[in-house]
């Protein structure tokens, strides 16, 4: 089991600082949700975890090793990344898309063992009937499941999901999150999920991190992170919070200007 | 029970792969058939039997009584011509399919990206300044390669600095083509009439000007490049999913792209040096092949090469037959054939659109 440790990382796109001094640790067997408004740096943070983007400052440790000096294939053996919008320029089949998860384990081509692993995973996720369909032609929910299948054959210990639910209808949102949690529980791996839906985050994440202005604004359990005050500060939205099945349930009320509100309070 | 289900999914996939391999063998078979036909065709009339008697006699001297004339024509002209067509077609299609893959752009090809224009400029510089007489043909190849790298890397860096769409990439290629052809025109304006004619003929794109001595280095360049590109097929598949996903799966995206772009430019440059400008093969052959066997580069790359070889040889047969006994430069035929073929592909595309 591998832990991912992030220490004081900073990242900026030309002229725009996005992440300022972020430190966190991801433990095996947990689902960690990253929340925050658009542009808060959720996706950037997840890409820095995997060296898709290289942080300007700070270190990322995968187990004992510094990510910066690792081979990409070695990173890929431990960490899988599932992008927000997956699309292939040239049409390929679901089977081939999943098979590409075996790439980090092979020198230049797949073999029989890889094909068997793909068939197994497709069966587990009940995607067998799609295996010869073209990836770009199946629904968004199915595509997300295919990406999960790819990450499974990759045999990674850490799964990085960049907004896996944002394009899906409510049923598929739940299905994807159920799959994520099930994999984490059964395989004792860890998952990092950036997500907009705070109620899904509350329900499925073991721990939450709320980003604001490139910093970690709040971290901890759903109950401690998703408070009225925090959400107002981080999103500029007035909310009501209920309790459903022991988890906070957020009902957005209206947008407000957080600065003005704190003035009024004074 | 579970085991049989597993093997069912895999069996389907195996059948799918089997079909791809079968098509590759069909292309190879096609190459043999077309070569067999091409060797009997030419301005000199020999009967079918005489041609094959000559070939057999070459390996087992004294089998038949062969006039020296037919031995010379078939062995020194026709067979090098066929091999040149096959190598050039293979190379152009291979360069095209690789460029389409790394740039994730179905319109990429040596010609649409201005790489051919760059190579052409480099070669004409060498021919018209008389450099070729000093360094020989291989200086010409080197020069063409050097200049082919300019548009190749201009496109490459443009696509890195700015996120440009496939369409803009092609527009950049067109502008580079204009720059290089203006440069070529400038050189020819200041050159001798004789050189000019030589250059003009060279530009037409013809597979009939290579000798056995040329074929050796030409084949070596192509074989080495091909081997280096073939084992990148799976990496190319992964890059089809986008740079971020490719990186996350362990592909060194930047290095792979530079490597493949350089090798593809070398292939393009060497084909152009030995044959001149032969258009459309690099664009059309990968498209037709992809529509037949799919986008899995592990199979698409070799299949495109073989199809390109068959396509160019087929075009060369037409170029020899169409206005007999004259032989047209094959570049004219590939453009006349490839243009409408590409048009047809645009009209007929449906379902799995990719551009």
């Amino acid at each position: 089991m591998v832990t991912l440790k992030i220490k004081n990382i900073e990242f900026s796109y030309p002229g725009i600082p996005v992440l300022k001094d972020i430190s966190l640790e991801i433990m095996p067997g947990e689902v960690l949700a990253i929340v925050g408004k658009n542009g808060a740096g959720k996706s950037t943070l997840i890409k820095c975890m995997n060296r898709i983007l290289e942080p300007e400052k700070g270190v990322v440790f995968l187990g004992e090793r510094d990510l910066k000096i690792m081979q990409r294939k070695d990173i890929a053996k431990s960490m899988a990344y599932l992008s927000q919008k997956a699309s292939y320029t040239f049409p390929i089949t679901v089977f081939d898309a999943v098979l590409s998860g075996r790439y980090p384990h092979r020198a230049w081509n797949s073999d029989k063992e890889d094909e068997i692993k793909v068939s197994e995973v497709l069966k587990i996720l009940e995607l067998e009937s799609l295996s010869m369909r073209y990836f770009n032609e199946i629904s968004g929910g199915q595509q997300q499941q295919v990406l999960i299948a790819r990450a499974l054959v990759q045999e990674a210990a850490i799964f990085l999901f960049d907004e896996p639910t944002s394009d899906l209808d409510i049923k598929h949102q739940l299905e994807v999150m159920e799959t994520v949690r099930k994999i984490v529980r059964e395989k004792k791996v860890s998952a990092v999920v950036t997500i907009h839906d705070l109620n899904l985050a509350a329900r499925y994440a073991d721990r939450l991190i709320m980003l604001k202005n490139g910093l970690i604004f709040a971290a901890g359990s759903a109950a401690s992170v998703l408070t009225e005050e925090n959400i107002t500060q981080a999103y500029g939205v007035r909310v009501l919070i209920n309790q459903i099945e022991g988890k906070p349930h957020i009902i957005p009320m209206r947008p407000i200007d957080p600065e003005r509100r704190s003035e009024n309070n004074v | 029970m579970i085991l049989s289900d597993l093997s069912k999914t895999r069996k389907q996939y195996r059948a799918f792969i089997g079909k791809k391999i079968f098509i590759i063998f069909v292309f190879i078979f096609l190459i043999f058939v077309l070569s067999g036909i091409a060797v009997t065709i030419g301005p000199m009339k020999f009967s079918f039997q005489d041609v094959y008697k000559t070939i057999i006699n070459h390996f087992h001297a004294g089998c038949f009584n062969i006039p020296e004339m037919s031995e010379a024509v078939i062995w020194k002209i026709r067979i090098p011509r066929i091999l040149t067509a096959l190598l050039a077609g293979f190379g152009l299609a291979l360069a095209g399919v690789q460029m389409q893959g790394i740039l994730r752009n179905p319109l990429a090809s040596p010609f649409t990206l201005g790489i051919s224009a760059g190579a052409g400029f480099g070669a004409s510089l060498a021919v018209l300044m008389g450099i070729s007489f000093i360094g020989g043909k291989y200086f010409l190849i080197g020069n063409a390669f050097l200049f082919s790298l300019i548009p190749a890397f201009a496109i490459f860096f443009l696509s890195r600095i700015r996120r440009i769409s496939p369409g803009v990439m092609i527009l950049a290629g067109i502008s580079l083509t204009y720059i290089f052809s203006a440069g070529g025109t400038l050189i020819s304006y200041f050159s001798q009439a004789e050189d000019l004619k030589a250059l003009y003929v060279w530009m037409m794109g013809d597979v009939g000007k290579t000798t056995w001595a040329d074929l050796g280095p030409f084949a070596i360049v192509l074989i080495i490049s091909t081997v280096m590109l073939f084992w990148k097929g799976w990496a190319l598949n992964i890059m089809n999913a986008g740079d971020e996903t490719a990186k996350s799966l362990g592909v060194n995206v930047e290095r792979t792209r530079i490597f493949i772009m350089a090798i593809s430019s070398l292939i393009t440059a060497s084909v152009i040096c030995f044959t001149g400008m032969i258009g459309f093969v690099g664009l059309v052959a990968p498209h037709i092949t992809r529509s037949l066997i799919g986008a899995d580069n592990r199979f698409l790359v070799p299949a495109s090469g073989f199809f390109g070889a068959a396509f160019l040889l087929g075009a060369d047969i037409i170029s020899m037959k169409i206005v007999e006994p004259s032989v047209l430069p094959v570049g004219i035929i590939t453009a006349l054939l490839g243009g409408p073929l590409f048009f047809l592909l645009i009209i007929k595309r449906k379902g799995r659109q990719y551009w």
Side-chain angles (χ1 to χ4, degrees):
Chain A
M1 298 295 102
V2 196
T3 36
L4 188 70
K5 229 177 274 176
I6 294 165
K7 276 191 177 163
N8 310 103
I9 61 164
E10 288 178 28
F11 184 88
S12 53
Y13 293 108
I16 312 155
V18 182
L19 302 176
K20 312 163 195 166
D21 196 24
I22 300 242
S23 298
L24 63 96
E25 207 167 308
I26 294 134
M27 305 303 289
E30 75 168 345
V31 178
L32 175 77
I34 302 175
V35 298
K37 66 177 182 184
N38 283 337
K42 299 186 295 295
S43 295
T44 308
L45 176 57
I46 221 168
K47 284 173 196 167
C48 283
M49 290 178 183
N50 203 9
R51 228 182 84 202
I52 289 172
L53 295 174
E54 311 240 359
E56 284 138 30
K57 283 188 191 152
V59 231
V60 180
F61 283 107
L62 181 63
E64 302 290 303
R65 290 186 292 176
D66 183 348
L67 214 61
K68 226 175 284 171
I69 53 167
M70 288 178 72
Q71 295 283 327
R72 280 208 185 281
K73 274 196 171 183
D74 289 330
I75 299 174
K77 280 175 197 161
S78 314
M79 250 193 292
Y81 165 81
L82 298 88
S83 64
Q84 191 174 343
K85 264 220 162 298
S87 82
Y88 290 87
T89 309
F90 301 105
I92 66 158
T93 61
V94 165
F95 196 103
D96 281 317
V98 176
L99 188 65
S100 62
R102 297 301 300 162
Y103 181 79
H105 299 277
R106 295 286 177 256
W108 66 283
N109 204 354
S110 60
D111 60 22
K112 190 181 159 192
E113 192 196 329
D114 297 326
E115 289 172 16
I116 290 169
K117 281 195 166 135
V118 170
S119 311
E120 265 168 15
V121 168
L122 286 173
K123 171 148 186 74
I124 293 167
L125 294 181
E126 292 170 9
L127 295 168
E128 291 159 301
S129 59
L130 298 177
S131 76
M132 285 297 124
R133 295 272 303 278
Y134 283 88
F135 181 85
N136 293 351
E137 291 172 359
I138 60 177
S139 76
Q142 291 169 332
Q143 288 185 346
Q144 202 53 243
Q145 297 283 351
V146 171
L147 296 191
I148 293 174
R150 187 186 74 203
L152 282 174
V153 300
Q154 203 174 333
E155 294 172 344
I158 299 163
F159 290 55
L160 308 174
F161 291 89
D162 197 0
E163 294 187 18
T165 57
S166 55
D167 285 337
L168 307 183
D169 62 39
I170 48 174
K171 182 176 183 226
H172 285 110
Q173 290 184 8
L174 292 174
E175 278 179 357
V176 165
M177 293 311 291
E178 289 285 343
T179 312
V180 171
R181 190 162 65 183
K182 196 172 153 223
I183 291 165
V184 168
R185 296 281 180 268
E186 281 175 8
K187 304 210 172 237
K188 300 277 179 288
V189 295
S190 47
V192 182
V193 183
T194 66
I195 194 162
H196 275 301
D197 189 325
L198 298 177
N199 291 320
L200 279 180
R203 195 145 150 208
Y204 288 100
D206 301 305
R207 200 153 62 93
L208 277 85
I209 281 180
M210 186 180 266
L211 293 182
K212 190 195 170 194
N213 296 333
L215 291 165
I216 294 179
F217 178 68
S221 69
S224 70
V225 171
L226 299 175
T227 62
E228 273 181 51
E229 184 57 30
N230 283 350
I231 294 170
T232 309
Q233 290 289 327
Y235 287 88
V237 172
R238 165 117 172 76
V239 296
L240 284 179
I241 297 182
N242 280 338
Q243 292 286 324
I244 292 177
E245 292 175 348
K247 302 275 188 186
H249 180 81
I250 293 101
I251 303 156
M253 300 303 284
R254 59 184 162 274
I256 54 164
D257 186 337
E259 307 302 324
R260 286 265 297 280
R261 181 178 176 270
S262 51
E263 271 168 29
N264 291 346
N265 280 358
V266 169
Chain B
M1 174 65 192
I2 290 172
L3 215 86
S4 69
D5 281 353
L6 280 186
S7 57
K8 194 189 150 210
T9 310
R10 211 184 136 235
K11 236 183 233 163
Q12 274 180 343
Y13 186 67
R14 281 278 114 209
F16 178 68
I17 297 295
K19 194 186 139 206
K20 290 170 195 247
I21 293 169
F22 174 74
I23 293 171
I24 291 177
F25 278 107
V26 170
F27 288 167
I28 294 172
F29 178 71
L30 197 64
I31 286 174
F32 279 104
V33 172
L34 287 171
S35 305
I37 296 169
V39 81
T40 64
I41 295 172
M44 290 285 271
K45 295 286 165 215
F46 300 114
S47 76
F48 194 81
Q49 285 105 324
D50 284 348
V51 168
Y52 282 95
K53 274 183 190 164
T54 311
I55 293 173
I56 294 165
N57 196 63
H58 186 84
F59 293 107
H60 303 280
C63 258
F64 303 101
N65 195 10
I66 300 295
E68 240 173 77
M69 178 73 159
S70 65
E71 164 80 18
V73 167
I74 287 163
W75 213 255
K76 292 220 171 86
I77 297 172
R78 289 190 184 176
I79 292 177
R81 186 185 178 100
I82 290 167
L83 291 174
T84 306
L86 291 176
L87 287 173
F90 189 92
L92 289 170
L94 190 68
V97 76
Q98 295 282 341
M99 286 171 184
Q100 291 171 10
I102 52 164
L103 298 173
R104 281 197 301 280
N105 185 341
L107 296 174
S109 78
F111 277 76
T112 46
L113 294 178
I115 291 162
S116 302
F121 176 78
S124 50
L125 203 65
V127 170
L128 289 169
M129 294 177 80
I131 302 167
S132 58
F133 296 110
I134 305 163
K137 257 181 190 149
Y138 305 110
F139 190 86
L140 198 138
I141 297 182
N143 219 27
F145 174 59
L146 226 57
F147 279 88
S148 75
L149 287 179
I150 296 173
F153 283 90
I155 299 275
F156 174 70
F157 283 113
L158 193 65
S159 66
R160 283 208 61 189
I161 300 164
R162 301 201 160 269
R163 282 185 172 267
I164 56 172
S165 68
V168 173
M169 218 181 274
I170 303 306
L171 291 180
I174 291 171
S175 72
L176 286 162
T177 303
Y178 275 114
I179 294 167
F180 281 112
S181 54
T185 314
L186 188 71
I187 298 172
S188 28
Y189 186 75
F190 290 108
S191 35
Q192 306 291 326
E194 266 171 54
D195 287 344
L196 211 58
K197 189 176 180 244
L199 183 70
Y200 191 70
V201 171
W202 179 82
M203 284 286 206
M204 296 270 253
D206 185 11
V207 291
K209 50 196 169 200
T210 36
T211 61
W212 279 106
D214 299 326
L215 276 166
F218 188 22
I220 288 168
V221 170
L222 272 178
I223 289 166
I224 292 173
S225 316
T226 303
V227 170
M228 289 205 279
L229 291 177
F230 270 17
W231 62 269
K232 288 274 176 202
W234 205 16
L236 210 55
N237 279 358
I238 314 277
M239 286 172 74
N240 181 8
D243 284 8
E244 288 176 354
T245 298
K247 280 183 190 173
S248 81
L249 284 167
V251 177
N252 199 321
V253 173
E254 282 89 10
R255 211 191 296 159
T256 307
R257 196 167 278 152
I258 291 178
F259 174 80
I260 291 182
M261 201 69 177
I263 303 282
S264 305
S265 302
L266 175 64
I267 295 177
T268 305
S270 59
V271 172
I272 288 179
C273 298
F274 286 111
T275 65
M277 298 287 188
I278 298 174
F280 270 106
V281 181
L283 187 61
V284 169
H287 276 283
I288 294 176
T289 312
R290 198 180 286 114
S291 72
L292 289 171
I293 80 164
D296 185 344
N297 287 289
R298 293 173 295 171
F299 303 97
L300 175 64
V301 168
S304 289
F306 291 128
F307 183 78
F311 181 81
L312 191 56
L313 184 58
D316 195 43
I317 291 173
I318 295 173
S319 78
M320 288 188 286
K321 282 304 243 185
I322 200 163
V323 281
E324 265 184 316
S326 318
V327 178
L328 292 177
V330 71
I332 298 173
I333 303 296
T334 58
L336 282 177
L337 219 65
L341 217 54
F342 196 65
F343 212 85
L344 202 71
L345 284 174
I346 294 171
I347 295 167
K348 286 195 74 178
R349 84 204 156 107
K350 56 172 189 256
R352 285 163 220 125
Q353 302 185 5
Y354 38 85
W355 81 84

